Amino acid sequence: MTLFPRKLFNDSLPQIVMKHQLYSIHNDKTLVDKELNKLREQGELLMFQLGFDADAFGLVFASDYKAKVLAGEDGRATRATVEKFLEKLPSLCTELSFSKDKMLKEFRFTDSEITQLVKSGVLTVRDAGSWWLSIPNSGKFTKYFIQGRKAVLNMVKKSKYSEVLKTELEERRTTSHVKFQMKYHIHDIVGAELVESIPTTSGTLLRFVDS
């Protein structure tokens, strides 16, 4: 998470890391998932479906999410409803989306309050009668993330034999399309298995995977 560029978003977003990025650090996916679920059950971590890919899940610490959402609600008419929603935080941690039934009966929100939550960006419409938990103003993050991923993958692709040493890629000069630190993108392309990691005597070699 320390690789997340807070300044790029004027510190308005919580630090976001993608679940698959963790797979680039620890290759036992089952263990990673198990530990993440434990943190979610303890109410420390939130998981979000970011919408650009069915397997793209963002992870944010609950305390960071709460702080950034409340800061964004300063002076807004939706603040009281958002505060009420955030009070449910521990039980929000284990969910990715909410049905209308759950919102009305279990969480006791009215239809107009649900509309306010969508307006404030903590919920986005999933389909008729259900909503994704979401990160307000994260559209820019998603845009830069996808843009950077494409640019970095292109660098690997254009290298000789479509492969490059990880250390060399980390030091490459980037174009304006890459807004995040190179390491952040490398964790992405390795974890999402868009490149293959091959150990060599000179270090880890990243090879483009032709899908």
Side-chain angles (χ1 to χ4, degrees):
M1 281 198 177
T2 53
L3 295 172
F4 182 80
R6 279 181 180 273
K7 279 184 187 162
L8 187 61
F9 306 102
N10 299 324
D11 209 16
S12 63
L13 285 183
Q15 289 175 302
I16 306 165
V17 67
M18 304 299 283
K19 184 170 83 158
H20 66 262
Q21 284 176 308
L22 302 179
Y23 299 156
S24 71
I25 299 165
H26 202 300
N27 52 16
D28 185 342
K29 292 182 185 179
T30 315
L31 185 67
V32 171
D33 289 353
K34 199 174 143 190
E35 291 298 326
L36 287 175
N37 286 337
K38 218 183 281 180
L39 285 169
R40 289 174 71 200
E41 278 157 22
Q42 288 163 3
E44 289 178 47
L45 195 70
L46 289 159
M47 189 153 94
F48 303 85
Q49 159 60 268
L50 287 178
F52 61 88
D53 186 334
D55 295 322
F57 296 105
L59 301 168
V60 170
F61 282 118
S63 54
D64 198 13
Y65 179 76
K66 194 174 180 175
K68 293 287 179 257
V69 168
L70 285 175
E73 281 296 310
D74 258 356
R76 293 180 67 181
T78 45
R79 186 178 172 109
T81 309
V82 170
E83 278 180 354
K84 184 179 161 185
F85 183 71
L86 292 173
E87 277 163 20
K88 321 264 184 227
L89 251 183
S91 53
L92 300 178
C93 287
T94 52
E95 307 286 344
L96 277 169
S97 67
F98 307 96
S99 65
K100 187 162 188 175
D101 209 41
K102 187 166 191 140
M103 289 298 289
L104 296 172
K105 292 178 184 165
E106 194 181 318
F107 289 163
R108 299 183 178 279
F109 284 104
T110 63
D111 277 330
S112 69
E113 284 176 325
I114 294 171
T115 306
Q116 286 185 13
L117 294 173
V118 172
K119 195 178 168 187
S120 72
V122 292
L123 292 179
T124 52
V125 177
R126 181 180 181 174
D127 48 43
S130 78
W131 299 268
W132 293 111
L133 179 64
S134 96
I135 306 164
N137 308 312
S138 57
K140 208 179 194 183
F141 164 79
T142 305
K143 183 189 162 191
Y144 289 162
F145 185 84
I146 297 166
Q147 191 176 289
R149 171 191 274 190
K150 281 183 184 160
V152 174
L153 270 180
N154 258 335
M155 288 181 190
V156 180
K157 215 170 164 179
K158 285 177 179 165
S159 302
K160 200 177 177 186
Y161 309 122
S162 293
E163 57 188 37
V164 63
L165 282 171
K166 187 176 158 206
T167 46
E168 193 191 309
L169 186 61
E170 280 172 4
E171 265 138 44
R172 283 265 181 102
R173 286 191 60 181
T174 56
T175 63
S176 59
H177 288 299
V178 182
K179 310 274 188 199
F180 302 162
Q181 286 187 48
M182 190 55 117
K183 280 183 178 177
Y184 192 87
H185 284 301
I186 293 172
H187 283 306
D188 165 47
I189 61 173
V190 172
E193 295 175 2
L194 301 169
V195 294
E196 219 180 323
S197 289
I198 302 147
T200 72
T201 48
S202 323
T204 306
L205 187 72
L206 302 177
R207 182 179 291 152
F208 181 74
V209 175
D210 222 349
S211 50

